Amino acid sequence: MTDVTHVKDTRGRRLRDLRISVTDRCNLRCNYCMPADVFGPDYPFLPRKEILDHEEIARIARVFASLGVTKLRLTGGEPLLRRDLDQLITMLRGIPGIEDIALTTNGLLLPAFARKLKDAGLDRVTVSLDSLDDAVFGRMNGKGVGTAPVLKGIDSAIQAGLTPLKLNMVVKRGENDTEIEAMARRWRGTGIIVRFIEFMDVGTKNGWRMDDVVPAREIVQRINARWPLESADPNYQGEVASRWRYKDGQGEIGVISSVTNTFCGDCTRARLSARGELYTCLFAAKGHDIKTPLRAGATDYELQTLVENVWKRRDDRYSEIRNESTVGLPKAEMSYLGG
Ligand code: SF4
């Protein structure tokens, strides 16, 4: 499967990025993703036999690479909870055509694994940090965990060379919006890029309301008022975050505006759940089962045809059609899809 077929969907969007959820479990309970009152001790997480093993994930990733995917992102739940993740990364690193392997994490386990993951072939990490205030952060992550272990994780990732390092801050009005400027100040001039993310109606459990959304425009205006910003061109077509550079040369920030300034037109992202389903949108309710045909002995060509046909029929644009009536629609949980 060395020849690459660049497949496009019904809107001419290429398949370029594959986000791979390697587990649906997490060691935090962020209220915008995995509220603790829902994802409690009795929550029916995926049984082990339901989850793709490393060889299966690598085989599926190879199929996606043959259809034009060049960038892989490992997600969860919390991907660092997956045992022997370095071995999976080594397999993925060996796939022809894969140029970039990134990972999104809450950072708590980075001190233990950063070096090992880098040596295995991981390029860079994105760390979630929703506040610099221990009380606010502890409340938002649902476990009362302070910022210190995450900051330690960030340091270990930088020492290991997992850069450029990005930080994700989900901004919720009335919870952490007072900290936008503090977060910008803390990371200005460090080379670390903070991405401010509009609170999204992902899944069906996070109690999303439009009133809790701080529009990207307001976030940029508030930071610009303190440190003048200028808009910067995307690094590549389909980049999720819009870039804003500090005029004084102290780096840049990103804003992810799925609610108020949608970007579906350029969306080149597919998602593979830990259970082996292909999701064509973060807000989709259902995925397309790849694991069953794979375990039933399908050839690489048959798997490639399956994925190609799914993508060719893709017409997702949830963020463009979002309104009061869509918010309550069934959707897969973000912790299941990996964001
Ligand atoms: S809403 Fe769906 S189609 Fe639109 S950008 Fe997000 S994942 Fe892509």
Side-chain angles (χ1 to χ4, degrees):
M1 264 192 318
T2 48
D3 298 344
V4 174
T5 313
H6 291 290
V7 63
K8 289 186 176 176
D9 71 9
T10 60
R11 298 182 64 180
R13 299 170 292 186
R14 276 192 46 196
L15 172 52
R16 203 193 70 98
D17 309 61
L18 178 62
R19 300 173 70 98
I20 303 172
S21 169
V22 295
T23 178
D24 62 340
R25 296 167 191 260
C26 188
N27 47 1
L28 289 181
R29 290 291 180 274
C30 300
N31 57 24
Y32 53 82
C33 172
M34 238 178 158
D37 57 342
V38 176
F39 295 86
D42 308 326
Y43 186 83
F45 290 105
L46 290 173
R48 195 171 179 74
K49 65 178 180 6
E50 285 281 318
I51 291 184
L52 295 175
D53 64 30
H54 289 170
E55 287 72 22
E56 291 171 329
I57 294 173
R59 188 169 167 216
I60 294 173
R62 193 177 290 275
V63 166
F64 276 86
S66 75
L67 292 168
V69 163
T70 58
K71 178 182 164 186
L72 301 176
R73 179 173 290 278
L74 300 176
T75 66
E78 170 49 45
L80 298 186
L81 289 175
R82 178 87 189 227
R83 211 174 294 154
D84 304 328
L85 193 63
D86 56 312
Q87 292 171 14
L88 172 61
I89 290 170
T90 301
M91 293 178 191
L92 298 175
R93 189 82 271 172
I95 298 174
I98 297 300
E99 297 161 3
D100 181 25
I101 304 179
L103 178 142
T104 301
T105 171
N106 60 32
L108 298 182
L109 297 172
L110 275 173
F113 296 112
R115 168 57 55 195
K116 208 173 172 187
L117 298 176
K118 178 67 182 179
D119 293 347
L122 184 66
D123 293 304
R124 56 199 176 86
V125 293
T126 297
V127 179
S128 305
L129 182 63
D130 299 314
S131 171
L132 292 169
D133 178 300
D134 284 339
V136 174
F137 184 56
R139 205 172 38 249
M140 287 187 80
N141 66 47
K143 292 265 188 176
V145 171
T147 60
V150 180
L151 297 174
K152 193 167 168 233
I154 292 168
D155 286 346
S156 58
I158 290 178
Q159 277 153 33
L162 293 169
T163 56
L165 191 145
K166 296 177 180 172
L167 294 180
N168 280 352
M169 176 187 183
V170 173
V171 182
K172 280 180 76 176
R173 198 172 298 283
E175 280 221 57
N176 62 346
D177 58 311
T178 53
E179 289 195 60
I180 291 169
E181 290 85 353
M183 190 65 87
R185 181 190 306 111
R186 171 66 182 79
W187 302 105
R188 264 169 50 79
T190 64
I192 290 176
I193 299 170
V194 181
R195 289 124 51 93
F196 299 90
I197 305 176
E198 289 182 344
F199 176 39
M200 293 181 279
D201 54 325
V202 284
T204 60
K205 313 284 188 218
N206 69 6
W208 187 85
R209 300 175 316 141
M210 190 60 201
D211 294 349
D212 298 334
V213 175
V214 179
R217 195 183 48 259
E218 177 184 334
I219 294 170
V220 171
Q221 282 166 354
R222 283 173 53 174
I223 296 172
N224 184 59
R226 305 285 287 277
W227 306 280
L229 293 166
E230 61 192 3
S231 172
D233 294 335
N235 291 307
Y236 55 85
Q237 193 191 2
E239 185 170 20
V240 176
S242 47
R243 300 172 60 212
W244 292 86
R245 194 180 291 122
Y246 291 112
K247 284 184 177 169
D248 63 4
Q250 293 298 303
E252 64 180 83
I253 62 162
V255 283
I256 299 181
S257 55
S258 166
V259 179
T260 65
N261 185 16
T262 68
F263 39 82
C264 298
D266 272 336
C267 180
T268 58
R269 292 171 293 284
R271 291 169 168 85
L272 179 68
S273 72
R275 192 185 351 213
E277 302 140 315
L278 163 57
Y279 282 77
T280 54
C281 175
L282 175 59
F283 300 92
K286 284 200 152 327
H288 305 263
D289 184 5
I290 300 179
K291 182 185 67 199
T292 303
L294 180 149
R295 290 186 175 175
T299 63
D300 286 351
Y301 178 73
E302 286 165 338
L303 295 175
Q304 187 187 53
T305 307
L306 186 163
V307 172
E308 189 171 349
N309 290 340
V310 169
W311 193 261
K312 278 184 175 161
R313 288 197 305 271
R314 178 193 189 225
D315 61 359
D316 298 273
R317 59 191 194 95
Y318 176 83
S319 288
E320 291 176 357
I321 60 171
R322 176 190 284 111
N323 59 42
E324 287 77 36
S325 66
T326 66
V327 172
L329 290 175
K331 302 185 204 104
E333 296 306 319
M334 180 155 94
S335 59
Y336 185 79
L337 287 185

